[in-house]
Amino acid sequence: MSAVKAANMFCCGCSLRFGTQFIATVHLIYCVAYICNTSSNIIFRIPGMGFDVNLVEQTLCAAWCLIGLPFIMAALWGVASRLEVHVRVYVFYLAATLVVDTLFLIYFFFIQDPCSMLPRALKAGGTAFACGIARLAAVHFFFFSIAVQAYAVYIVWSFCEDLRTGGFGFGFGDLTSIEDAKSDRRAPVHADALHADYGSISIPNYAAPTTIFSGSYHETNYPPKQDW
């Protein structure tokens, strides 16, 4: 039994399946956008977001996003096909991303002073005030970012637990679609294949019944009479 209780819904109203799909889709868009932006900065030398960031940091972050693309695609496939293993692998990558981002944010906001990255326009209006605002904003952004990522890991893990226990995350909409799919797969019944014999429906594609030794008498008494 797990020490942490799994969630039963996403954002107080949505299903875990929708939440996992939403998280994986947003994560995929972010990774693709970061890879494209880094390629623009480093390869094509077209200035984009973070053009002045250290080359090593941009390369490492882009490489991590590139590594995550197969895991994200596997998670989307696993959610669509309800495969726990595919989504479980994505949980490990998502948890590793949380750890890496936490270490990076600690270094960026606490070890490296945010006041040293202030633009000149803010420093001109008062260095002490701008520095205090920058540090306060850094602390709030740090905890907000970690909380959002931790909640994403928790939701995806909860969906995996739901699949593991056999819940499959079914909602009323899922049950309706499954019932419709079953109805579509049912074999059609043709009117000419139905014909009544003794008030019942005979099975088509079978030969007509025949009597033994061409007899015409049917004994209805039990035990039958012995005439010999």
Side-chain angles (χ1 to χ4, degrees), residues 34 38 42 54-67:
Y34 193 91
T38 305
I42 298 177
N54 188 5
L55 180 62
V56 177
E57 294 182 6
Q58 293 189 61
T59 305
L60 291 177
C61 292
W64 184 259
C65 293
L66 189 62
I67 292 173

Side-chain angles (χ1 to χ4, degrees), residues 116-161:
S116 61
M117 297 176 291
L118 289 176
R120 296 180 179 178
L122 292 179
K123 291 182 178 180
T127 305
F129 176 77
C131 186
I133 294 297
R135 289 175 177 174
L136 185 62
V139 171
H140 281 81
F141 180 80
F142 172 80
F143 287 106
F144 176 77
S145 177
I146 297 303
V148 170
Q149 294 187 58
Y151 182 72
V153 175
Y154 176 63
I155 290 298
V156 179
W157 172 80
S158 299
F159 181 71
C160 289
E161 292 298 309

Side-chain angles (χ1 to χ4, degrees), residues 150-217:
Y151 182 72
V153 175
Y154 176 63
I155 290 298
V156 179
W157 172 80
S158 299
F159 181 71
C160 289
E161 292 298 309
D162 194 31
L163 293 178
R164 183 180 64 84
T165 56
F168 298 104
F170 284 142
F172 289 111
D174 297 328
L175 295 176
T176 304
S177 60
I178 292 174
E179 186 64 26
D180 293 340
K182 289 181 179 179
S183 301
D184 295 338
R185 289 196 300 266
R186 291 172 184 168
V189 180
H190 301 285
D192 55 355
L194 301 178
H195 41 275
D197 291 334
Y198 299 103
S200 62
I201 299 177
S202 63
I203 301 176
N205 299 329
Y206 282 89
T210 58
T211 59
I212 301 176
F213 303 116
S214 300
S216 61
Y217 176 74

